[in-house]
Each structure stands twice: as structure tokens, then as C-alpha cells.
Amino acid sequence: PIAGVARRLLNLHPGTFLAYLAGEVQCDAKSFTQPAHLLNFRNLTLNLDTLQTHPHRAVDRLRHLVDCNWNPAADCPEFKRVMNDASKGDAAYTDYRLRLYFYGMTGRTNHHLVHILWGGGGNGKSIELETLEDILGDEIVGRVNIEAITGKRREDALALAVFADHRMVLASESETGDKFRISLLKEI
């Protein structure tokens, strides 16, 4: 328990951590969760429900930070190009993936989804996900080996602890013939 509390304190946003140390925040470190509707950037906090922003505040108890500034005017032409290439110009599919990634950023779990990017190599699927991971950072996006979801051994399932502390989790590529362990997916 002490190690868990220490780990959580070390992962807090620096301003929140200092407020906690100064006694401005009176609570147990376990209560520092990541509210699904708020996403912390270097320059502000974004409400994903309303797209309104506000300054960082200790009361939000956010402990994860996207390590870039929020800029609603950013055009992101390279990311758009990669997404367009991966979908072979299918605007509806590109729009679907953008909505899916936005949902993943919220960390909400009221929809039970597993999204599988399928297709030949060299069309940008991995680059698209790696770019998303680079932007959001490893505090928001976690990785799990596909064998943790397809493997038969109990110890493979231990790798799934990554799901508990990330808003979005990406898996490695599967091999031909791999099958998901459905009961395990339902637990996740």
C-alpha cells in the first residue's frame, strides 16, 4: 500500500503535487483519479464534454499530463495525411477513427469496444497509432503485448494491469490464427 501511494504521488502533475505537500489538498492519494471528461495539457485543462478550457486547478486532482500545449486552431496536416492514407481516402472511415480516438482519450468505459485496425502493411496504421501515442504520452496511452489477450497462460493476463491506469491501451500486432480470449476481454 505505501509503495502504491508513493507511486501515485510521484505521478501527480507538479502543481498538484506541490499543493498536496503544502497541505492545500486534503485527501488520500488514492482519490487522485483521472476524471474522464478532463484532459490536462501543459497550458490548461480541457473539458472533453464541452471543449471549454480552464486553468490548472488542484481541485481537479488530475495526475496525468499531455506534454504539449492545447491549440484549438492547430491544423495537423501531417496527421491528417497519415489518416487519409491509412483509410485510402475513405472520409467516413477517417471520421470514425477520429471519433474512436477521441473516445479513447476520455477514458470512459460505458461502451464495450475493441477496435482492430486490419489491412496490409505499409499504409500507415502503426504510424497513426504511434503518432497518437507520442502526442498523448505514455501516461495516457498504454501498451500491452497481444499475447496477454490471446495467450493461454495465467501469467499472460498479469500484463493487463496496464488497463487500470491508462485511458487508451494499444496492443501489438497479432499473428495469423491468433484468437482473443473472450472471457478475458469481457473482464477488461
Side-chain angles (χ1 to χ4, degrees), residues 46-142:
L46 173 66
N47 183 319
L48 294 168
D49 290 339
T50 65
L51 297 181
Q52 298 297 310
T53 61
H54 62 263
H56 297 125
R57 21 179 227 213
V59 70
D60 291 336
R61 298 181 181 173
L62 297 174
R63 58 186 181 91
H64 293 152
L65 177 72
V66 177
D67 194 22
C68 63
N69 288 327
W70 169 252
N71 178 359
D75 189 38
C76 308
E78 185 65 19
F79 188 67
K80 286 179 180 178
R81 186 196 60 74
V82 168
M83 290 196 70
N84 187 57
D85 290 352
S87 65
K88 298 185 184 334
D90 184 340
Y93 182 53
T94 298
D95 185 57
Y96 167 77
R97 286 193 335 279
L98 282 172
R99 287 192 322 270
L100 180 76
Y101 299 152
F102 187 82
Y103 176 76
M105 285 189 294
T106 69
R108 290 195 169 100
T109 57
N110 49 323
H111 297 290
H112 301 165
L113 339 151
V114 173
H115 184 72
I116 299 171
L117 296 177
W118 179 81
N123 63 0
K125 296 181 304 288
S126 294
I127 291 171
E128 182 178 305
L129 293 175
E130 288 168 7
T131 301
L132 190 65
E133 186 176 18
D134 285 346
I135 292 167
L136 296 174
D138 61 7
E139 290 185 342
I140 305 283
V141 180

Side-chain angles (χ1 to χ4, degrees), residues 133-164:
E133 186 176 18
D134 285 346
I135 292 167
L136 296 174
D138 61 7
E139 290 185 342
I140 305 283
V141 180
R143 283 217 169 244
V144 65
N145 188 306
I146 194 71
E147 291 175 359
I149 303 169
T150 61
K152 302 285 187 235
R153 301 174 310 163
R154 180 67 184 147
E155 49 273 14
D156 291 333
L158 296 176
L160 298 177
V162 69
F163 283 86

